[in-house]
Amino acid sequence: MKCMKNIFTLLGICLCLCLPMSVSANETIKVGANFELSGPGGNYGQDMVDGINLAIDHLNQKGGLLDHRSVDLVTFDNRSDTTESASLAQRMIKEKVVGVLGPAMTGTSLATVPILSNGKVPLVLPAATGAGLTLKENGEVWEYLYRVCFEDPFQGRAGARFAYQHLKAKKVMVVTDAISDYSQGISDNFMKEYKGLGGDILSQAFFASGDRDFTALLTSIYTLKPDLIYLPCYYTEAGLFIKQAREMGIDTPILGSDGFASDVLLDLAGDQNTHDVYYTDHFSPLSDNPKVQSFLSDFQAKYHREASTFSALGYDAANLLFDAIERAQSTDTDKVNQALASTKDFEGVTGSFSIDANHNPIKSAVVVKLDQGKVDSAVEVQVK
């Protein structure tokens, strides 16, 4: 009898191992991270992942989600490549993640949206600012897509208002990256808004991503003598442009976009050249909000460097997803998605915002001023 009892016990164990396991209270919650950790967008992507990991640290220290379940971040490098980004989106679905954070850039993000939407996996984008990104070609909203950053047309309009109302610039020279949809879209919206306010666009000049010598372009700017140079582009070209402009004796204020928000720009431009440099941004490290200052000090303690705008956006994107999981009281992706869509008055380090009907955040922009390689001041700009 004892032998038979042992046999039945062993059979019971085997059957339990073969049956599907229900989720235990101690099982981790898997969240995907699909980011540019190498390639042209590597600087942005790594900053966002660092912000996300800090958010996970804070969450797990407070006891995790859904009755003390910790979060496990499944991180992959899309190498700043759209094909790789799409492949990783398929892999995320197989990993059975509750939601995905990233990519960083608009192009790599677009490659993942249809895949994750078909898989019914919520996607939260920290910094992909492309116009209309949350909408399908027919104008319908991508049901499973959200972002915590404002879009490019918004920051173009915000930049125009700052230029006209705060800098009192009446004559502007616009300098655009001719092969960047990002730069062209922001430029177009800036010019439309600025002219509507009564400003004068002296000229629009063009360069191409990868250009290193701006001497000819700067010579024409020197001749025109604008009140302001508007330069919406990424940090590499911006840093070189600023350095060469200042070395040529052009002290005209330079206003850019959120692509300026990188230490790489400061390294390339040189601290001594970053005077009267401004850019539209999502976040101000000068905020006296205790939540912002806690984030900054904790980031410094963990990574031994200052947090960037993109670290802050990554931090907010992660916490928005965690907040939705907690409000849904479930890891069911449909329930989490419903919670994301109904987000109201979310308190992030990049500001308080609600998610609108197009799954974008309702928030204001910040215009940051650089001086001697440091953030000197920041102004909040409202755009209707």
Side-chain angles (χ1 to χ4, degrees):
M1 290 293 291
K2 185 175 181 180
C3 182
M4 289 296 292
K5 183 178 180 180
N6 288 338
I7 290 171
F8 286 132
T9 300
L10 287 171
L11 284 171
I13 293 171
C14 290
L15 284 170
C16 287
L17 290 173
C18 291
L19 289 171
M21 296 292 288
S22 60
V23 175
S24 70
N26 294 323
E27 187 177 346
T28 59
I29 295 173
K30 292 172 72 174
V31 169
N34 179 353
F35 280 98
E36 298 83 337
L37 302 180
S38 60
N43 185 266
Y44 295 128
Q46 187 59 62
D47 276 1
M48 290 180 216
V49 170
D50 288 344
I52 291 165
N53 278 314
L54 180 61
I56 291 172
D57 287 351
H58 286 167
L59 177 76
N60 290 339
Q61 287 165 10
K62 293 176 182 177
L65 292 169
L66 307 181
D67 195 21
H68 307 296
R69 291 171 63 182
S70 62
V71 169
D72 179 24
L73 190 68
V74 183
T75 307
F76 293 107
D77 177 13
N78 63 41
R79 305 198 299 269
S80 303
D81 180 79
T82 54
T83 301
E84 181 66 12
S85 188
S87 176
L88 291 177
Q90 294 281 10
R91 188 167 177 180
M92 294 293 185
I93 295 171
K94 293 178 182 177
E95 291 277 352
K96 298 188 183 301
V97 297
V98 178
V100 174
L101 301 166
M105 313 293 279
T106 296
T108 45
S109 297
L110 281 169
T112 73
V113 172
I115 296 167
L116 292 172
S117 293
N118 288 337
K120 297 187 175 181
V121 177
L123 170 62
V124 181
L125 301 174
T129 56
L133 179 59
T134 62
L135 304 177
K136 302 176 184 179
E137 289 185 2
N138 63 5
E140 293 180 0
V141 178
W142 285 107
E143 186 180 356
Y144 289 83
L145 172 62
Y146 304 85
R147 54 181 167 184
V148 300
C149 58
F150 48 67
E151 61 179 357
D152 290 337
F154 180 89
Q155 67 170 318
R157 297 196 303 272
R161 287 184 171 272
F162 180 81
Y164 192 82
Q165 297 171 351
H166 292 269
L167 296 180
K168 308 299 182 184
K170 303 302 181 185
K171 301 179 296 180
V172 173
M173 175 79 174
V174 177
V175 181
T176 305
D177 184 339
I179 60 175
S180 167
D181 290 341
Y182 166 81
S183 184
Q184 291 183 59
I186 298 175
S187 293
D188 290 347
N189 281 276
F190 174 91
M191 290 188 291
K192 181 178 179 180
E193 184 81 9
Y194 184 74
K195 286 188 285 189
L197 292 168
D200 180 22
I201 303 296
L202 290 177
S203 179
Q204 182 179 17
F206 296 91
F207 67 94
S209 301
D211 283 356
R212 293 292 182 268
D213 185 358
F214 298 95
T215 305
L217 195 157
L218 287 166
T219 300
S220 67
I221 292 174
Y222 187 84
T223 303
L224 286 170
K225 299 188 184 305
D227 297 328
L228 174 72
I229 300 167
Y230 187 60
L231 178 69
C233 65
Y234 293 119
Y235 52 80
T236 302
E237 290 78 15
L240 293 170
F241 183 98
I242 291 166
K243 175 181 173 65
Q244 292 169 35
R246 298 306 187 230
E247 288 178 347
M248 286 180 64
I250 299 174
D251 289 325
T252 306
I254 297 172
L255 172 62
S257 55
D258 62 344
F260 278 35
S262 170
D263 288 342
V264 175
L265 179 143
L266 301 176
D267 292 340
L268 292 171
D271 290 352
Q272 72 278 11
N273 294 319
T274 55
H275 55 85
D276 259 352
V277 174
Y278 307 82
Y279 59 90
T280 45
D281 206 357
H282 309 260
F283 164 78
S284 169
L286 301 179
S287 170
D288 57 5
N289 185 328
K291 189 168 187 174
V292 173
Q293 292 307 313
S294 176
F295 161 76
L296 291 171
S297 61
D298 289 350
F299 190 95
Q300 178 73 45
K302 182 176 176 67
Y303 298 109
H304 309 292
R305 71 177 195 280
E306 293 182 358
S308 73
T309 289
F310 300 102
S311 303
L313 287 168
Y315 184 84
D316 275 1
N319 280 318
L320 178 66
L321 179 58
F322 302 156
D323 175 68
I325 293 170
E326 193 64 45
R327 284 187 288 114
Q329 280 295 292
S330 173
T331 56
D332 178 87
T333 57
D334 281 332
K335 291 181 180 178
V336 172
N337 189 61
Q338 291 169 18
L340 282 167
S342 64
T343 299
K344 300 293 181 186
D345 301 321
F346 174 82
E347 292 288 341
V349 297
T350 62
S352 174
F353 61 86
S354 300
I355 296 296
D356 70 12
N358 290 335
H359 292 185
N360 290 310
I362 303 170
K363 64 196 309 187
S364 58
V366 173
V367 178
V368 170
K369 179 184 180 183
L370 292 177
D371 187 51
Q372 298 299 313
K374 298 289 184 183
V375 175
D376 179 68
S377 61
V379 176
E380 188 172 293
V381 180
Q382 299 284 348
V383 180
K384 295 180 181 179

